[in-house]
Amino acid sequence: HKDLQIFARNGYLAPKSEDGSADAVRDEIRDAVFSRGEMADIPMELSLQYFKSSDVEAKLTVLTKLDITGLRFRKAEERNSDVVTVVSAIFDHNGNFIKGVQRTVDMKLRDQTLEDLRKQGALSVRSTLEIGPGSYLVRVVVRDREGKAMASRNGSVEIPF
């Protein structure tokens, strides 16, 4: 029909499969890292800090704070279990991948520990990457294994020469 219009947006990400296999999860996380869109299934904050360790290198700290109420836990053997994967990736000003790091937080919490963590409100995950001077896009992707939820945020940082 000639009166119809189709609209699409860049960065939309739909899960490829529901099987939950390690390969499917890895692919889902990789696709989210290279997408530029932000997701907010898990409430999170991103903060970036750097310090120059030399004239040609800096240490970039990526601090991700996850709202613990956005995570699902599975009760097993008197513990509340979940695994959260946090990937921090750095891209140059042209969108080329520079480097990244993956952190996995394997939680097996007693009821009281989970309650205390919920009162604190956030789970913090820190990653440190060494980079040279320049302008960078920092992308953080978080995946909750039990809830199969994802979140992502973009940030930018400029390391002076």
Side-chain angles (χ1 to χ4, degrees):
H1 299 277
K2 60 184 171 186
D3 294 334
L4 296 178
Q5 293 181 328
I6 297 176
F7 297 96
R9 61 184 168 119
N10 289 332
Y12 176 75
L13 179 68
K16 289 184 180 177
S17 68
E18 295 293 326
D19 67 5
S21 70
D23 289 340
V25 169
R26 186 188 68 240
D27 291 346
E28 183 181 15
I29 292 170
R30 186 189 66 237
D31 290 348
V33 167
F34 287 97
S35 167
R36 292 294 185 240
E38 293 192 352
M39 295 179 278
D41 294 343
I42 304 166
M44 67 180 269
E45 294 177 19
L46 170 64
S47 57
L48 306 170
Q49 291 184 316
Y50 71 89
F51 74 90
K52 293 196 63 163
S53 52
S54 71
D55 289 340
V56 295
E57 197 164 78
K59 290 187 186 281
L60 175 66
T61 300
V62 179
L63 181 63
T64 306
K65 289 186 179 180
L66 304 173
D67 183 343
I68 195 85
T69 60
L71 303 178
R72 264 200 198 150
F73 289 87
R74 177 178 44 88
K75 190 76 165 187
E77 300 175 12
E78 298 183 20
R79 300 283 179 148
N80 300 285
S81 301
D82 195 5
V83 176
V84 176
T85 303
V86 180
V87 176
S88 301
I90 299 175
F91 296 86
D92 68 12
H93 65 279
N94 291 324
N96 298 314
F97 176 77
I98 303 296
K99 62 172 61 175
V101 64
Q102 178 174 310
R103 305 280 309 251
T104 302
V105 181
D106 190 358
M107 295 178 282
K108 292 179 177 34
L109 309 173
R110 294 179 189 245
D111 291 339
Q112 184 60 47
T113 306
L114 179 58
E115 186 62 32
D116 291 345
L117 193 55
R118 284 189 171 141
K119 286 178 186 174
Q120 291 176 7
L123 171 68
S124 296
V125 179
R126 181 184 316 264
S127 300
T128 303
L129 299 129
E130 294 185 2
I131 57 175
S135 296
Y136 300 99
L137 170 77
V138 179
R139 180 145 173 88
V140 175
V141 173
V142 176
R143 186 175 191 283
D144 168 28
R145 181 184 293 171
E146 291 302 321
K148 296 183 177 129
M150 292 184 71
S152 61
R153 290 281 181 278
N154 297 323
S156 60
V157 65
E158 176 139 358
I159 310 295
F161 287 91

